Each structure stands twice: as C-alpha cells, then as structure tokens.
Amino acid sequence: MDGTTDPGRSVRALGASPGHLLALIRSAPAWTRQQLLDATGMSRPTLLERMSPLFAAGLVREAGTTASVGGRPAQLIQFDDRHLGVLTFDVGHTHGWVSLTGVHGRELRSSRCALDITGTPPDRIVRQLTTIAERLTKDRTGERIVGVGVGLPGPIDPATGLPGPTPIMPGWDAYPVLERLRQHWDVPMVLENDARALVFGEAGQHDGDTLLGVKWATGIGAGLIADGRSIAGDDGAAGDIGHIKLTAAGPPCRCGRRGCLAAHASGHALLGQLAGQGVRSLDELARRSAEPEIGRALDAAARKVGTVLASLIAMANPRTLVLGGIIGSLPRVVDTVAARVREIALDRSTEGLRIVPSRLGERAATAGLVHLVVTRVLAPDAIDRALADRDGALGPSAG
C-alpha cells in the first residue's frame, strides 16, 4: 500500500529510520529480529533503537514465537493494526456511504444515507454525514482514527485541493469540506473524485495493470491508473466523460448544454426516459433490467458509453476496463459495452483487454479512499514526523 517495491533495500539506502523500518515490517505477516537484521543490515543495538518508538506508539507488537526446531524459539514482530481505523465518506449524487474501516481494508462499521447533492447546500450535507460518522465512532475505546478520506462526484482542483466548479453541485466550488471535517477529526485527510477513488479501489484487485475504470450510476465518470498513479489532469477534471458532447442538438444535460453522454445515458437520464415504465430509482432500474423496454434503454445507453470508451482505450491501451456503479456493473451493460468497444477500436488496442464488472461493488470507492489515506498516513516520512511529534500519535481516538 505504501508503494515501496523493496522495503528492505529502502531501509538500507535511507538510513533505517523508524518509518522505513515500519514499511519493511508491514511488507510481510511477521518477522523475527534476526530476519530484520538480515534485511536491513543494521546492528542489533540500532535495530532495537529504531523499533523502540514503533513499540511505544503501538505500531508494532510481539506476536508469539516461531516453532521450535531444537533451539530457542524466536519472537515474532508484526505491524499492529488492530486499533487503527480510517473514516471514509463516499458521497454520490443521491446517496452517501460513511464507513469505518481497518487499514487493511476490512470494514468495521458503515451506514448508507440518502442525500441530494444538487439540491442541498454543502454545509447541510456535511452535517448529515458527520452526525452519522460520530454515531459510528462513539464510545469505541481503543480505536484510533488515523485518517479521513472523502470522495465527491465532481472535479478536485489539484492546485488547491478543493472541489472545482460543476453546475451539478451548486455551492461546492472551493467549499472547504476537509476543513469542516477537521473540526471533528484532526487527522490527515484526502479528498478525491469518486470515480478515481473507485478505480483506486479496483486497482488492488488487478495486479498493477494499467486500469481504466468507470463509475456509472446517477452520473458517469472515469479514472485511469498507470504505473500505480492516477491521472487527475491539470485542473482535476480528467475522467469527466459524462459531459463529452455526442450530438449537437440532443437532449438537455444538467450541465446546461445539450447532447452530452450523460444526457443520453446517465442514470439520471435513464430514469427520465423510463418514467413511463414506473421506474423511480436506480435500484429499481437494476432489478428490472431484464424487462424488454428497460433492457432496450440500457442497451442503447451502453452502446453510447462504449463508443466513448473505445476512444479512451485507443489512447491509453489499458489491460483492464472495470465497469462499476449500479448501472455499469449490470451483466447486460458489461456485455454491451464490451461488444461496442471491440466493434469500434482496433484489435491492437483490445486484443489483451479485459472488460469486467467491479469486483468490489458498492465498496469500491471506499476501498480506494482507504488506500489513499493509508498510503499517506503510513508513508515512512509521515511516520517519522508523527513519532517526532510530542504525542507520538497518529490521530485521535475514535472513542
């Protein structure tokens, strides 16, 4: 998770700080002291000196002994993640997920709520989400929140770290969402576009592939990860494929233009198209996707999305295309998008391409946010700074 390909080599090269030693310890289930000495090239006194603050901060622990093979069993050293948690807010157009998750991605507690990001001021949404989060984390003695991750369905300005302008989210342009949350949890925080967060979550399932991912629910957004890095763009708007204009005089889009991909194919557009069929929500749309009229609408939308994705695939040549979100992960949608992509793009671009539904489903963005927070909080330099701090703490207790 910390991006270090050879933690042992990193420790030797960078002076064996406690943070780099922790990265090495995290890279395997357990170590003996002798194995750590061999991997780092440290002397025994230096190793003990570097491990001492890690033990004091509760970041490593002794976890039993090796099996005896005639000599004295060796004590095992492990990264101690039992008390560490990441708080995440996966905010969509119509729903939000608030989750408390372990640093290895195991969900501890979560709650889903309905919201309206277009029609509700951001202060009210943040209050709604923090109320839920405080309930999830209340009276949990011993748990420690080490970081907070937030996903939003809009651009994130790389220069400011704040939400960028989008007509679909009035009031959110430059809104200090992390500053508001930091009033409740004074820990490192990460803000990311929800589609890019989803792709980070799915990337852990696909062995370091160049990965193009799509979140297709109320809106349509995409993200690309290559060499472990996400492409955000100069203005944070990379992946905003929902507002590629397909037709000059198509249906009106919520962005104020006409003929955008979202105006034809987003969940918001499909609900409008299928109102006469009594479809009132995306959950209902997914449940009824096999009905002829609804299926035809989904197929037409999937062909349009596939047309746009074929161009991205020709440009980026990913190994895997992941389709996520409540619409994107439907089997008939995956099949139709795949057929359209292969129909349009050259065989050279698609020969080794896998087109698959999200493996993590509705937890994909949460998993991506956890990854981003953990990568930041447990980076060697971040650990060294935290240990040098007077309290030696990574974050406030959840209780």
Side-chain angles (χ1 to χ4, degrees):
M1 274 184 145
D2 59 12
T4 303
T5 55
D6 185 350
R9 181 177 179 182
S10 176
V11 170
R12 291 191 297 273
L14 295 172
S17 74
H20 285 90
L21 181 58
L22 180 64
L24 176 63
I25 292 171
R26 290 177 56 226
S27 70
W31 298 77
T32 66
R33 286 176 172 80
Q34 186 59 52
Q35 288 171 332
L36 291 172
L37 290 169
D38 293 342
T40 63
M42 294 183 195
S43 67
R44 186 172 292 272
T46 299
L47 177 67
L48 296 178
E49 177 189 354
R50 298 295 187 269
M51 284 203 303
S52 178
L54 298 177
F55 275 109
L59 292 171
V60 297
R61 66 178 180 130
E62 293 183 340
T65 59
T66 59
S68 176
V69 289
R72 182 179 177 182
Q75 192 75 45
L76 292 170
I77 307 298
Q78 279 185 338
F79 171 51
D80 190 358
D81 68 331
R82 295 171 299 172
H83 60 300
L84 305 180
V86 177
L87 184 62
T88 59
F89 300 87
D90 174 18
V91 183
H93 290 266
T94 60
H95 291 86
W97 278 99
V98 183
S99 299
L100 184 65
T101 304
V103 295
H104 286 302
R106 182 173 64 87
E107 183 181 282
L108 303 175
R109 294 178 295 281
S110 68
S111 180
R112 186 186 193 214
C113 65
L115 53 82
D116 177 8
I117 205 161
T118 298
T120 307
D123 275 336
R124 283 182 56 190
I125 288 180
V126 170
R127 284 197 299 271
Q128 177 183 0
L129 295 173
T130 53
T131 298
I132 295 169
E134 287 173 338
R135 185 173 69 246
L136 291 179
T137 58
K138 185 178 180 181
D139 299 328
R140 301 286 179 169
T141 304
E143 287 183 352
R144 188 166 295 278
I145 295 172
V146 299
V148 170
V150 181
L152 290 176
I156 308 300
D157 187 334
T160 65
L162 297 171
T166 170
I168 296 171
M169 295 170 56
W172 285 88
D173 184 10
Y175 177 77
V177 56
L178 298 188
E179 182 180 319
R180 296 288 189 270
L181 293 174
R182 199 167 279 114
Q183 296 171 8
H184 300 264
W185 301 279
D186 187 14
V187 293
M189 295 190 177
V190 171
L191 178 64
E192 184 55 283
N193 169 265
D194 64 339
R196 288 198 291 271
L198 178 148
V199 178
F200 267 115
E202 290 293 335
Q205 308 291 309
H206 292 280
D207 303 323
D209 294 348
T210 299
L211 181 68
L212 175 63
V214 176
K215 182 181 179 182
W216 183 0
T218 302
I220 307 173
L224 178 69
I225 289 181
D227 297 326
R229 296 181 180 275
S230 174
I231 309 301
D234 285 351
D235 299 315
D240 193 5
I241 64 171
H243 298 288
I244 292 174
K245 197 168 186 176
L246 299 186
T247 56
C253 183
R254 291 196 293 170
C255 75
R257 306 193 307 165
R258 301 185 75 91
C260 295
L261 176 62
H264 288 280
S266 69
H268 178 80
L270 287 168
L271 289 180
Q273 295 168 25
L274 295 169
Q277 301 297 313
V279 178
R280 299 289 181 262
S281 69
L282 295 187
D283 289 330
E284 184 178 358
L285 175 64
R287 287 195 305 270
R288 297 173 57 187
S289 61
E291 294 180 17
E293 189 70 24
I294 295 171
R296 281 192 291 272
L298 284 169
D299 292 345
R303 284 192 292 271
K304 288 182 171 64
V305 172
T307 299
V308 170
L309 292 178
S311 298
L312 301 183
I313 287 162
M315 177 68 183
N317 189 210
R319 178 62 56 211
T320 304
L321 167 62
V322 173
L323 298 171
I326 193 167
I327 297 176
S329 57
L330 291 171
R332 75 179 299 148
V333 167
V334 175
D335 291 344
T336 305
V337 169
R340 185 61 171 163
V341 166
R342 298 187 191 282
E343 176 187 346
I344 295 175
L346 283 173
D347 291 347
R348 185 170 57 193
S349 299
T350 61
E351 191 171 41
L353 177 67
R354 295 188 295 266
I355 302 177
V356 297
S358 165
R359 292 181 182 178
L360 296 177
E362 61 191 13
R363 280 199 47 78
T366 294
L369 293 170
V370 171
H371 166 75
L372 291 169
V373 170
V374 169
T375 297
R376 176 177 174 183
V377 170
L378 296 185
D381 290 348
I383 290 294
D384 291 336
R385 287 193 299 270
L387 294 175
D389 191 28
R390 183 174 302 173
D391 296 330
L394 287 175
S397 170

